[in-house]
Amino acid sequence: GENVEQHPSTLSVQEGDSAVIKCTYSDSASNYFPWYKQELGKRPQLIIDIRSNVGEKKDQRIAVTLNKTAKHFSLHITETQPEDSAVYFCAASMGNDYKLSFGAGTTVTVRA
Amino acid sequence: DVKVTQSSRYLVKRTGEKVFLECVQDMDHENMFWYRQDPGLGLRLIYFSYDVKMKEKGDIPEGYSVSREKKERFSLILESASTNQTSMYLCASSWDRDWNTGELFFGEGSRLTVL
């Protein structure tokens, strides 16, 4: 089945700096790559997603890039703010059997 | 605003007990899912359902079963709880008919402790 690896597991950044989280996937048939944010004690929520027909997508301070050849995708957060502190999960759809597989998560801490 | 409601936020059960976790969504979503969340392991799919009375195994179905008698309700059942089932359980729903690409709307989670 699909295997999604996510790095780093923890990330501490100074407020205003950028944060980058990287994920790799194993199934070349995967075609959908969402990112979810989970604040402490809250439910995960979709923040951005990308499909395999595009290489980059932006939404204000967040962006996702996809390299299908290398089978990896990344989340970029610019000008980080305290409210960006959360656990971020990447995910990939498996294509043939339609399962959404999640990475292990990255705990991001933004230092004031 | 989509609402996915899980019946219990915290449960404590004993080994061997039967456990029911209930989930209700109010947006007429076709698809419903049960995930298990453990530190360092992310979210792992237990079971999902794309229609009433339909169910499909996810990645870790062993020790679990599900029931979907009505479109809005999806129940997770632990027939005989074991200590390794202590975890946070998240229910989710999605509308998109191309369901593997639809946004998942999660409930608040049910933290189960099995003693």
Side-chain angles (χ1 to χ4, degrees), chain B residues 2 8 12 24 35 38 41 44-46 51 54 57 61 70-71 80 87 94 96 104 106:
Chain B
V2 176
S8 305
V12 179
V24 177
Y35 284 89
D38 299 289
L41 296 177
R44 293 180 292 167
L45 182 62
I46 305 171
D51 201 353
M54 302 300 290
K57 292 181 180 179
K70 294 184 178 181
K71 190 175 185 179
S80 179
S87 186
S94 72
D96 201 313
L104 293 179
F106 285 90

Side-chain angles (χ1 to χ4, degrees), chain B residues 36-54:
Chain B
R36 171 175 171 163
Q37 182 175 13
D38 299 289
L41 296 177
L43 304 173
R44 293 180 292 167
L45 182 62
I46 305 171
Y47 266 97
F48 60 97
S49 168
Y50 51 87
D51 201 353
V52 176
K53 296 191 185 295
M54 302 300 290

Side-chain angles (χ1 to χ4, degrees), chain A:
Chain A
E2 175 67 281
N3 181 41
V4 179
E5 294 192 356
Q6 183 172 347
H7 299 281
S9 58
T10 61
L11 181 60
S12 179
V13 297
Q14 189 70 37
E15 183 177 356
D17 288 349
S18 296
V20 180
I21 304 169
K22 298 181 179 179
C23 290
T24 60
Y25 60 98
S26 60
D27 190 340
S28 57
S30 291
N31 56 13
Y32 175 65
F33 308 93
W35 286 87
Y36 283 80
K37 175 184 179 182
Q38 186 178 28
E39 297 177 7
L40 188 62
K42 301 288 182 65
R43 69 191 78 194
Q45 291 187 298
L46 179 71
I47 55 171
I48 195 167
D49 58 14
I50 192 168
R51 287 171 169 77
S52 59
N53 56 344
V54 297
E56 184 176 5
K57 184 176 179 180
K58 290 183 179 180
D59 183 3
Q60 299 183 345
R61 294 186 299 106
I62 60 173
V64 58
T65 58
L66 171 65
N67 183 327
K68 287 216 72 181
T69 303
K71 290 190 285 187
H72 68 71
F73 56 112
S74 300
L75 179 72
H76 305 254
I77 308 172
T78 59
E79 300 173 18
T80 53
Q81 300 171 6
E83 54 264 37
D84 295 327
S85 294
V87 179
Y88 293 80
F89 294 98
C90 63
S93 69
M94 290 181 71
N96 288 340
D97 59 359
Y98 308 117
K99 294 177 186 175
L100 190 60
S101 298
F102 283 85
T106 298
T107 301
V108 174
T109 303
V110 180
R111 306 187 307 273

Side-chain angles (χ1 to χ4, degrees), chain B residues 6-24:
Chain B
Q6 294 182 228
S7 56
S8 305
R9 290 296 304 275
Y10 302 95
L11 303 94
V12 179
K13 298 292 182 180
R14 296 212 173 268
T15 300
E17 280 192 86
K18 191 169 185 176
V19 182
F20 291 89
L21 299 179
E22 302 282 338
C23 176
V24 177

